[in-house]
Amino acid sequence: MKKKPIEILPLQGLPELKFGEDIAQAEFVFGKPEETEEFDDEEFEFQTIVYYYWDLGLSLFFKKAKKPVLIAIETDDLKATLLDKKVFQMNEKALIEFFATQKMYDYEAEVEDWGERRLTWEAWNIDFYFEGKEMTTINWSAGAEQ
């Protein structure tokens, strides 16, 4: 069976799994993860459970609670799409131009200590990570209400 490319839905999640849904729904859609991890998220002051689906190029982040809910997604799937565009084929300039076509001109650029560069569009809670000129991962999350 051929794997379907990840379709990024800003502020919503994925077509098959929306932000706010629980672990049971994630396992129904994607099966058991290949690996899991729990950690304290110091930035948001809560515990997080991460489900890794390495073969899909997908990581699901759940806010740990009595019933954990999906709050963020990360992908390194080179065929991932955003508004029908294969975003991993874009360099930083093309990505900025793409967001400008959506009337989204405000973004933040930051270089991490280890050299990775991040471009963030807060209006869509989406981050794009680059090593050199190559996009390596995309992370998007729920709106503030989650």
Side-chain angles (χ1 to χ4, degrees):
M1 184 172 152
K2 194 172 181 182
K3 148 182 132 149
K4 182 179 160 195
I6 301 297
E7 182 181 349
I8 298 167
L9 300 177
L11 304 174
Q12 296 177 47
L14 299 165
E16 313 86 348
L17 186 69
K18 302 293 191 250
F19 292 127
E21 292 192 283
D22 63 16
I23 284 177
Q25 184 63 25
E27 289 182 359
F28 176 77
V29 172
F30 298 109
K32 293 281 186 191
E34 293 157 57
E35 186 179 339
T36 62
E37 179 180 18
E38 289 189 34
F39 63 92
D40 289 327
D41 191 321
E42 294 172 9
E43 181 180 349
F44 298 108
E45 299 178 358
F46 57 78
Q47 289 184 316
T48 304
I49 302 167
V50 185
Y51 270 36
Y52 297 105
Y53 294 92
W54 302 119
D55 288 345
L56 298 175
L58 189 64
S59 299
L60 305 176
F61 296 78
F62 296 89
K63 180 178 182 179
K64 190 172 181 181
K66 190 172 187 176
K67 186 175 181 180
V69 295
L70 182 67
I71 57 168
I73 301 170
E74 187 169 279
T75 188
D76 61 3
D77 176 9
L78 298 180
K79 295 180 181 177
T81 62
L82 174 62
L83 302 177
D84 295 322
K85 302 286 184 196
K86 290 185 178 180
V87 283
F88 277 94
Q89 294 178 356
M90 296 183 197
N91 60 25
E92 288 185 41
K93 182 177 184 241
L95 189 63
I96 293 165
E97 289 171 357
F98 168 74
F99 272 90
T101 67
Q102 303 302 308
K103 310 266 188 268
M104 296 178 68
Y105 307 105
D106 294 331
Y107 66 94
E108 180 182 310
E110 186 175 322
V111 178
E112 303 292 345
D113 293 339
W114 57 90
E116 185 176 57
R117 184 168 168 79
R118 176 179 51 83
L119 297 181
T120 300
W121 277 265
E122 286 188 25
W124 279 1
N125 289 339
I126 193 164
D127 300 310
F128 300 85
Y129 295 89
F130 292 83
E131 286 186 22
K133 295 182 181 196
E134 184 179 334
M135 188 183 302
T136 57
T137 54
I138 302 169
N139 183 295
W140 66 108
S141 59
E145 67 278 357
Q146 289 293 330

